[in-house]
Amino acid sequence: LTSEPILKVAIAVPLSRLFDYLPPKDGPLPAVGARVRVAFGKRRLTGLVLGLAEESDIERARLKRCEAVLDDAALIDDELLWLLRFTSEYYHHPIGEVVATALPALLRQGQAVYPVREGLAPAVSSGAADLAALGRRAPQQAALLELLLDAGDAGVDAATLDEVRPNWRRAGTELIRKGLAVRFEARADDPEPVVAWEPAPAPVLSEAQQAAVAAVRACEVYGAFLLDGVTGSGKTEVYLRLIADVIAAGRQVLVLVPEIGLTPQLVGRFRARLGIEPALMHSALTDHERLSAWRRARAGETPLIVGTRSAVFTPLAAPGLIVVDEEHDPSFKQQEGLRYSARDLAIARANRAGVPVVLGSATPTLEMQKHCLDDNYTHLVLPERAGGAEAPVLSIVDTSRFTADEGLSEPVRAAIERQLADGGQVLLFLNRRGFAPTLICTACGHVAGCRRCDARLTVHAAASELRCHHCGASRLLDTACEECGSSVRPLGAGTERLEDTLARAFPGQSVMRIDSDSTARKGAMDEALAAATAGTADILVGTQMLSKGHHFPRLTLVAVVNADQGLFGTDFRSDERLAQSIVQVAGRAGREQKRGEVLIQTAFPNHPFWRRLIGDGYAGVSAEALAERAATQWPPYSRLALLRASAHQRADAHAFLVAARRHAERAGGRDVRVLGPVDAPMARKAGRHRARLLLQSGQRQALHALLRELRPLLEGLPAARKVRWSVDVDPLDLY
DNA sequence: AGCACGCCGACT
DNA sequence: GTCGGCGTGCTC
């Protein structure tokens, strides 16, 4: 006689362990993957059963019994459970919290997967005769019964009854007592999916597209494919053929996109070409909409799921293909709490499910290209479509020769004039908000700094303020130097100043600035974009937020005002990002019959980066970066982990990382290196001091083993010190 | 994370 | 005399 099994339950607390419970007093054992309601401390919480065990570290007598089983079968199947466990292990994040992020809010709160439909139905034996018998003596009951008989065997929902006969319950109880009606409770299924419509005809594929489709089609198990092609090269068409295949085979496709708001065209094309309504998963859904989409995906009722990063956790009854569109987009990476990369999890999931994963991008990340070089992934290249718009001319403007005091150099000014005279629209891209990034004293050189952190303050002229773009602090604009009282001068140019300069340089033209300051008001962004698209604005000044997703038909010139930021960044991705954003903005310059022009203002015109970009475009830049990293940093570069800590007290964040570092160094014999001093300047943001420690290893296993050892140390921190920490794993060490 | 316990300052 | 501040510890 074996003893009762023990339930291993994941609970949403920041502890990386499972909690043991005894099964409920009566009723069947919960399935692995089912939710249970448990007492946890003084609280009642919903947890997910992740396993059954014979024994527990805690003696049985001290174990609590779980109070209720919320699902009569597994809510989460083995495939998805594996992904949740993997996520927890890989990102060193508590399993309960991973489960919580993966579940729709309503399920996390313990609601039933399917809403219950309750109502009243006529008893099989009842009929017109009973109606007559009730007669005038019981008119309420008679009327209700008539309603039920009209509805037939299926009966009527309580909700419907509430509407047509608000006081039906009294009469209903009587009818039930008399055996004339029965109460029913049934699972309310989701409505039938929208009837398919006639798919739009498919265009003829280019040779490269055919080859790409054939390569993925030939893959009947897991395989990763990098679909590399610029905008307009026909990536979507490749997705469409593959998706259509998979759906025809009765399986499901999961498509991850960076931001659903930016991809209405993509969803529209799916709809038109596939003749089905995709299920959308994104943050703008209500809890009920999200649960409904989740349910349908899980039941296999919807063949196509399109969603943003959290959609990687959508359950799939029959996965057949995973697509990650714009693979390089940073929004696939969650930057808070559980720091997961939806792209990497999508790859892991495809691997586990034994299905192909297609990663599309015009500017693929270095790590994906490295995988292709190593033959882990298949590189599918779509050349620019013949007959399409010609690629724009890129040229460099040397700001060490042409001064660009207020953001605008003479060659750029001349180009703007030329393009405007020709009826074109101009976009100036400057990734720096405000009037000027610095306020400097003309006498002593003092720079206005933030009092809350060590960043310099940005001048916002319209608001007459100095603002810290780091911690958010702001104060009134100084009229004189706070140190010596001499006059102060704004140095350098932000979007606000550039807008000013342009308005003065081109008096007759309309200048429009689009950045997070100008679009802070609700709806302002849409208005601005509408004006920009319609062409009512001749000159656009914008930050990063303007770099993607919008098409301006009249645009012929793009000027990258300050291109040097990305050139010498400390972030190992900064050059990659710079190339990506230039390629992105450049891709939008030019209209029919008119080749676009891209001007890049830089003080380092001879930097090899520009030579490559102009010569070979993004491929050249990334090839160079790949070669350079292969020579200097790989393989260690391929296994990185960033340990982040933040605390109210600077000393606390510091002490924490010192402890982590000491531990890491003791473990040094196992091929893990600690990079960067803990004493590097700590940023202050949102009232917290943040510090980071970079760990590097040639061996994935060794790095993860070390992080696992660090976990108890991290979790054992006194809560009162308010130290928060997280681990970033980046990113080549997946498969 | 939440929640309770526990010990020290200003108050219905 | 208590209410409540947050430091400390615990959660199967």
Side-chain angles (χ1 to χ4, degrees), chain A residues 551-609:
Chain A
H551 178 63
F552 306 127
R554 224 160 48 99
L555 187 71
T556 49
L557 170 67
V558 172
V560 182
V561 177
N562 180 6
D564 294 334
Q565 289 173 22
L567 232 39
F568 306 101
T570 46
D571 182 348
F572 71 94
R573 280 188 198 280
S574 60
D575 52 353
E576 184 182 332
R577 294 239 166 89
L578 173 63
Q580 285 167 349
S581 58
I582 289 178
V583 168
Q584 262 171 28
V585 275
R588 318 229 314 272
R591 49 181 171 154
E592 268 173 88
Q593 312 300 324
K594 180 82 175 73
R595 200 165 178 198
E597 191 181 349
V598 178
L599 292 181
I600 299 166
Q601 288 191 163
T602 172
F604 304 92
N606 297 320
H607 196 287
F609 180 90

Side-chain angles (χ1 to χ4, degrees), chain A residues 7-13 15 17-21 34-36 38 40 45-51 81 84 94-100 103:
Chain A
L7 312 179
K8 300 278 181 187
V9 181
I11 291 177
V13 287
L15 300 169
R17 59 173 171 276
L18 297 171
F19 293 87
D20 296 347
Y21 284 88
R35 289 171 303 158
V36 286
V38 294
F40 186 75
L45 299 174
T46 36
L48 193 71
V49 179
L50 288 196
L81 279 181
L84 300 182
I95 180 70
E97 293 194 333
V98 172
V99 170
L103 285 183

Side-chain angles (χ1 to χ4, degrees), chain A residues 448-626:
Chain A
C450 179
R451 286 160 199 164
R452 274 211 338 221
C453 60
D454 22 302
R456 53 179 166 55
L457 291 168
T458 301
V459 181
H460 284 249
S464 260
E465 274 185 349
L466 286 170
R467 290 190 196 152
C468 177
H469 288 184
H470 223 87
C471 71
S474 70
R475 64 171 212 249
L476 214 60
L477 186 57
D478 298 339
T479 49
C481 175
E482 50 185 344
E483 293 289 307
C484 73
S486 307
S487 64
V488 285
R489 190 167 69 89
L491 194 67
T495 47
E496 204 185 331
R497 184 175 217 170
L498 189 56
E499 183 189 17
D500 257 30
T501 311
L502 287 161
R504 268 186 284 110
F506 302 96
Q509 315 287 346
S510 77
V511 180
M512 178 181 258
R513 170 166 61 96
I514 303 183
D515 59 27
S516 56
D517 297 316
S518 77
T519 58
R521 184 172 52 84
K522 196 166 180 281
M525 177 69 174
D526 293 338
E527 286 166 29
L529 283 176
T533 311
T536 39
D538 303 310
I539 304 176
L540 305 170
V541 177
T543 52
Q544 188 75 46
M545 66 192 292
L546 214 60
S547 72
K548 60 180 172 185
H550 315 286
H551 178 63
F552 306 127
R554 224 160 48 99
L555 187 71
T556 49
L557 170 67
V558 172
V560 182
V561 177
N562 180 6
D564 294 334
Q565 289 173 22
L567 232 39
F568 306 101
T570 46
D571 182 348
F572 71 94
R573 280 188 198 280
S574 60
D575 52 353
E576 184 182 332
R577 294 239 166 89
L578 173 63
Q580 285 167 349
S581 58
I582 289 178
V583 168
Q584 262 171 28
V585 275
R588 318 229 314 272
R591 49 181 171 154
E592 268 173 88
Q593 312 300 324
K594 180 82 175 73
R595 200 165 178 198
E597 191 181 349
V598 178
L599 292 181
I600 299 166
Q601 288 191 163
T602 172
F604 304 92
N606 297 320
H607 196 287
F609 180 90
W610 302 121
R611 208 179 54 237
R612 294 299 202 125
L613 186 67
I614 289 170
D616 303 306
Y618 182 80
V621 171
S622 55
E624 179 186 43
L626 270 170

Side-chain angles (χ1 to χ4, degrees), chain A residues 10 53-54 58 102 137 196 244 255 287 360 402 408 412 439 461 571 620 653 663 678:
Chain A
E54 301 265 306
I58 293 168
R137 299 284 313 249
V255 178
D287 287 350
F402 302 99
L408 203 58
V412 170
L439 187 69
D571 182 348
H663 188 95
V678 168

